[in-house]
Amino acid sequence: MVSGGTYGTEEIVHGAGYGRAILILLLTPLLWSLPTAFMIGELSSALPHEGGYYAWVRRALGNFWGFQEAWLSLVASIFDMAIYPTLFVAYLTRMFPWFQQGHRGWMVGLAVVIVCAILNMAGVKAVSTTSLWLFFALSAPFVAIVVLAPFKLGALANAVTKPTTSTVDILGGLLICMWNYMGWDNASTIATEVERPQRTYPRAMLAAVGIVALSYVLPFAAMWTTGLAPTAWETGSWADIAGLLGGPLLRIGVVVGGMISAFGMFNALVMSYSRLPLAMAQDGMLPSIFGKLQRRSRAPWVAILACAMGWALCLGLGFARLVTLDILLYGLSLMLEFAALAVLRFREPDLPRPFRVPGGLFGAIAVAIPPMLLLGFSIVRSEQEQVWNMSSFAFALILIAAGVVAYLVNHALKPAGWAPVEQKPEPAA
């Protein structure tokens, strides 16, 4: 739920050049991913509840902030989830430009949303099995690139490539890098559906940080040796570059892999985000209809449908704009999770924690500092991006304020909360 492979990282090289791009790709997991993985490791091992980060914030900070955590996460998901169909179409059009005409690309993106929603209604086991095979398929072309690139030492220095339209600079490249390294908390929302989460989560988080970093750095380092100009890179250009390196078959492999990556990531994240409305309905913070489960798979089908309709709204906003809004809103929800880590350490020191962030209470507070500093870049960038004739920052503030209004309206309608789902059955694995 974090990495869709190297697809979607092209703009980092365009904005920063090879050397700085690789440096960013190496430093970002240390400052952004590792602190987050530590925080998720402790909280998920201590509180492996359905709803994950929403449940942690609600327990530490109360109903209001728990609602805001869920709101920010779901609103951020609207932009985040629109990125994957956008990437799917970006790679599809590299092979079939016909889909660039009219609304054909948008229709393809909508089809991705619909198919993944149906797959998720089949249950978690179907999603996890599909995602595992998709991971192997999308990784194969980049293994070939890493192997072939040394045989093309300097050979692509004067290569003629398709003119790019990218305007991403080094700051935009950093935000795209942060996007590629975010999402560690998504798996926490299905903790009750994972075997031995107290042991599984911390180990998986720490191992995944290293694996994801290598999957990003090695292909770019390999391509650097070929002499290909950084200006040749933009979203989707891995396909054309692979063609220069290994011919038509490798180009086709990357196109198919890019589509598989986008589809697989979207498919897995539907499972994660849809558990938020389910958990809130179980707690009486949303109407009980969101807690309805499909009879055979036990998947929260109403929550999946509601989320899917929201995700479809932002198809077509563009990759860079979607990333900027996603990072800004996700970052605010991440701040609440770090706050929950520190507050629970203070209020519930005796809570069993099979995994702990080292350094005591000071460590639990200090671990949040690097990610919060990086989030400052998203605020700077959001003032430059435009959404519906306003800055992305102003648009984000409206969405944040809407969360407060939604909570107040919800509370006014049901001061004692909605009737919680009577039973909290675990969705089938």
Side-chain angles (χ1 to χ4, degrees):
M1 299 181 184
V2 177
S3 169
T6 315
Y7 304 100
T9 58
E10 298 97 324
E11 302 272 11
I12 303 172
V13 173
H14 184 100
Y18 285 103
R20 286 182 293 184
I22 290 174
L23 183 63
I24 289 172
L25 285 165
L26 289 172
L27 290 178
T28 300
L30 298 178
L31 301 174
W32 175 253
S33 303
L34 200 58
T36 303
F38 271 117
M39 177 265 290
I40 300 301
E42 175 170 326
L43 291 177
S44 61
S45 68
L47 302 168
H49 300 322
E50 190 81 60
Y53 44 86
Y54 148 76
W56 308 334
V57 173
R58 183 169 180 258
R59 177 159 174 165
L61 304 175
N63 285 346
F64 173 80
W65 290 112
F67 188 94
Q68 299 311 310
E69 171 70 13
W71 174 269
L72 288 170
S73 299
L74 288 171
V75 171
S77 83
I78 292 175
F79 304 104
D80 184 54
M81 295 295 273
I83 292 173
Y84 302 103
T86 299
L87 286 175
F88 185 96
V89 173
Y91 278 93
L92 177 66
T93 54
R94 291 282 168 165
M95 187 65 68
F96 303 105
W98 181 82
F99 285 101
Q100 290 178 317
Q101 302 173 20
H103 297 290
R104 292 167 183 168
W106 183 88
M107 294 297 293
V108 171
L110 182 61
V112 171
V113 175
I114 294 171
V115 170
C116 288
I118 293 172
L119 274 177
N120 270 264
M121 290 181 196
V124 171
K125 184 174 182 179
V127 174
S128 59
T129 303
T130 304
S131 298
L132 179 63
W133 285 107
L134 293 182
F135 169 77
F136 288 115
L138 68 90
S139 300
F142 291 99
V143 173
I145 287 172
V146 171
V147 171
L148 291 173
F151 296 99
K152 295 278 189 177
L153 190 66
L156 301 183
N158 299 313
V160 177
T161 58
K162 179 181 177 181
T164 63
T165 58
S166 174
T167 58
V168 171
D169 54 14
I170 188 170
L171 180 56
L174 173 61
L175 291 186
I176 291 171
C177 185
M178 291 169 64
W179 171 72
N180 276 280
Y181 278 117
M182 79 178 200
W184 303 96
D185 49 356
N186 286 323
S188 69
T189 62
I190 54 169
T192 60
E193 300 164 65
V194 175
E195 293 182 6
R196 299 185 302 274
Q198 287 85 354
R199 295 181 58 192
T200 301
Y201 273 97
R203 293 180 180 181
M205 291 289 173
L206 296 177
V209 170
I211 293 171
V212 171
L214 285 176
S215 73
Y216 293 158
V217 170
L218 289 180
F220 282 131
M223 288 306 304
W224 195 5
T225 66
T226 68
L228 184 70
T231 53
W233 296 86
E234 68 174 348
T235 301
S237 63
W238 267 119
D240 297 334
I241 290 167
L244 292 173
L245 188 66
L249 286 179
L250 187 56
R251 182 174 185 269
I252 292 171
V254 169
V255 168
V256 173
M259 295 165 61
I260 287 173
S261 169
F263 183 90
M265 284 296 296
F266 190 95
N267 193 38
L269 288 169
V270 170
M271 178 176 62
S272 172
Y273 287 125
S274 64
R275 267 50 182 185
L276 280 176
L278 169 64
M280 294 177 75
Q282 290 173 342
D283 291 334
M285 295 186 71
L286 283 180
S288 59
I289 189 172
F290 289 99
K292 287 188 175 295
L293 303 179
Q294 205 275 341
R295 183 174 298 176
R296 294 184 62 184
S297 69
R298 312 299 292 169
W301 66 273
V302 174
I304 290 172
L305 284 178
C307 290
M309 287 188 286
W311 299 328
L313 292 175
C314 290
L315 294 175
L317 274 183
F319 182 70
R321 186 177 294 111
L322 289 169
V323 167
T324 300
L325 285 165
D326 186 19
I327 288 288
L328 182 59
L329 293 166
Y330 167 81
L332 294 175
S333 69
L334 193 65
M335 288 176 63
L336 289 176
E337 293 169 37
F338 277 111
L341 174 71
V343 169
L344 285 173
R345 278 286 192 95
F346 180 76
R347 288 184 178 174
E348 301 187 43
D350 297 326
L351 179 69
R353 294 172 170 87
F355 176 85
R356 297 175 69 94
V357 175
L361 181 59
F362 174 79
I365 295 172
V367 75
I369 295 174
M372 297 307 103
L373 291 177
L374 282 178
L375 286 174
F377 291 110
S378 69
I379 296 175
V380 173
R381 186 66 176 186
S382 66
E383 293 179 347
Q384 301 173 16
E385 293 282 356
Q386 295 290 311
V387 179
W388 295 319
N389 297 321
M390 69 179 76
S391 72
S392 294
F393 182 70
F395 183 66
L397 288 179
I398 293 174
L399 294 176
I400 294 166
V404 178
V405 173
Y407 177 82
L408 295 176
V409 170
N410 197 43
H411 185 70
L413 291 174
K414 293 287 183 178
W418 298 89
V421 177
E422 293 183 3
Q423 193 176 6
K424 294 188 178 183
E426 295 182 7

